[in-house]
Amino acid sequence: MNNELTFEALGLSSDILNALAKKGFEKPTPIQQKTIPLLLQGERDIIGQAQTGTGKTAAFGLPLLERIRPEKGKVQAIVLVPTRELALQVYEEISSYQTGNKLTILPVYGGQGMDVQLRQLKSGVDIVVGTPGRVMDHLRRRSLKLDHVKFAVLDEADEMLNMGFIDDIETILEYIPETRRMLLFSATMPSRIRQLAKRFMGEFDEVSIEKVEGEKAQITHTYYEMFNEDKMTVLTRIIDTNPGFYGLVFCRTRAGSDRLAKDLSAAGYDAEALHGDVSQAQRERILDKFKMKKIHLLVATDVAARGIDVNNLSHVVNFDIPGEAETYTHRIGRTGRAGKTGEAITFIVPREFRALQMIMQQTRFQIAKQQVPTLQEALEQRRAAVKHEIFKRIMTTTPTDEVKALAVELLSKTEPELLVSALLQQNFGRQLQAQQMREIKQLPSKGSDSPRTRESRDRVRSGGKGGHDSLFFGKGKTDGWKSNRLIQYISDTAGIPTKSIAKVDLFQKHAIITVESDCANTILEKFRTPKGQRPLVRRDRD
Ligand code: ADP
Ligand code: MG
C-alpha cells in the first residue's frame, strides 16, 4: 500500500476536507489511511481492527457520509454500537464531519424517550446509530425499516460480543437486504469475531493495524497482591504517592463500584461511581465533572465504562482483576493514549495469581509486581502535598493590611508553633492523621499461601521455625490484664489476626508478646507515640 499521508490523497470531497480541517485533524490515522480508500471505491465487506482511540469512527464515518445520498428519508446505513454512550458519541462524531446537515443522522438508544425517536424516524432518517436492544424494539414496532440499507456497520464488535448481543445482531441483519455492504470494526480481534464475520459477511478485506513499537512501552503494567479487605487502603496509598493521579478504577460489580466510590469519598478523595444503575442524566453530569477534572477518580464497571472518551488518564486501576485478557486490553486502552505515558495497575488477591498469569500470557504484557507504598511513604507524600498547597496559597493570596495586622498581633501573643499547628490541624487535619490510615495485612510468605493447617500453626506456637519477634508490653497483671484480653486487644488495635500472636507471657508489671515477625512492625507502628514518650508496646530489647 502506498503511503498516503493526507486526507486529500484519500479521495475525500472538499466539504469533508473543510470539516476535518475545522476539527483540527491534520492527517489520517493508520486505520483511516487503509480503510477509507477501500470504502470509497470497492464493494467488498471489510473488517478493521485497531486499538481504542485510533479514529475508527472516522474510518467508517467519513466514507458513509461520502457515499450516502438521501433517499426520501429511507434509512441507508445503520451503525450498531454496544452502549448508549457510544451511540451518542459516534452520532456526534459523524455529525461533526458533515457540513450543512445534508444527511439526517439519528442516535437510537434505550433510556431515551420513545416518542422523540418515533417522531424523528417518521420524519425521515438517512443514518441510524443505535444500540441493538433499542433497534430491535423499533423493528418489532415497525417504526424502523431497514430494507433500503446499503451499509451495515458493527462498531466495537468485540464489545458487542462480550455483552451478549450476538443474537440481536443476527436478528437485525435479517431485516437488511443481502446486497448490503458490511463493515466490522473492533479494538481486538479474538477468533469469535472472525467467526462472526464468516457467518454474516461475504468476501471481506481485513485491515489490521499493529500497535506501533514503543506504544506499548508508554504504559507500565504493574500488579499488587493483597487481601480483599485491604484493597481500598492500597488504592489510597497509591493515590497518595502519585500526585496528579487522574484515573479510572474498574470494579466487577455495580455494588462494588458504588461502595468503593462512597468509601473513597468518605476518606476525602474526589470519586464518583458510574454503573448501570446511574441514570443517563446523572451519568452525563458525572462524566462532565470527570472530564473537567473536577473529580479525579471515576469508579466504574466494564459495562458503564464503555465509550468513556477521556484521553489523558494517568492511571487505570483494575480494582478487581478482569475475567478475560480482552477486557484487560480494553480497560488499559484508556491510559497512555496519544503518546502520553500511563500506568495500568491490577489488584489481585492471592488466589487470583493464576488469572493474572493467563492475562500476561494472552496479552503479552509484562505485568511487574509492585510493593504497596508503606504507611510512612503515603503519609510523607500527604505532608508534601500539604506543604505544597500551603506554599501555593502563600504565593497566590494577597492578605489585606487588616489581616496582616491581626497576624502580627496573634504572633506576639502565641507561640508561632502553636498557632500554625492549630491552623494546620483545622485545615489539613484529616490528611495528616496517621491514625486514620489503616495498616495492611501482610501476605503469607511464598510457599505458604494456602491456609495454614492446625499442625503447622501448633508447630509455630511451640516455638518451632517460622520467624517470631518478642515485643514488650508495658502493663501486666497488677494492671488487671489477662492473656486472652491482651491478645484480643493487640489484634484489634493493630488489625492483625489473633493467630499471628504465638504466645503471651504475663508478668506483674509487663508482658512479653511473641508474634510472627511479619506482624511485629504493624503492631509497633500502631502503638507509636510522639518522640519522648514511651510506647505501650516496644521491642523487647529496648
Ligand atoms: P476508536 O473508535 O478507534 O476508539 P475514535 O473514533 O473514538 O477512536 O477516535 C478517538 C479520538 O480521536 C476522537 O476524539 C476523534 O475525534 C479523534 N480523531 C479521529 N481521527 C483523527 C485524526 N485523523 N486526527 C486527529 N484526531 C482524530
Ligand atoms: Mg470506536
Side-chain angles (χ1 to χ4, degrees), residues 1 96 118 153 454 471:
M1 168 159 286
S96 76
L118 288 173
V153 184
R454 178 164 285 280
L471 301 177

Side-chain angles (χ1 to χ4, degrees), residues 6 8 18 66 124 139 143 157 182 202 221 224-225 244 286 298 319 343 360 382 386 394 408 416 501 503 532:
T6 61
E8 284 90 338
N18 285 338
E66 294 285 15
L139 289 172
S143 44
M182 255 190 83
H221 302 258
Y224 294 80
E225 192 175 351
I286 293 173
L298 193 61
F319 194 79
E343 284 189 43
M360 284 200 248
R382 287 187 181 196
V386 167
I394 294 175
V408 172
I501 301 173
K503 195 160 72 132

Side-chain angles (χ1 to χ4, degrees), residues 445-465:
S445 51
K446 268 237 151 24
S448 61
D449 50 2
S450 59
R452 275 223 184 86
T453 60
R454 178 164 285 280
E455 290 99 282
S456 69
R457 191 162 67 226
D458 289 344
R459 183 165 50 81
V460 168
R461 275 188 199 274
S462 64
K465 136 187 194 320

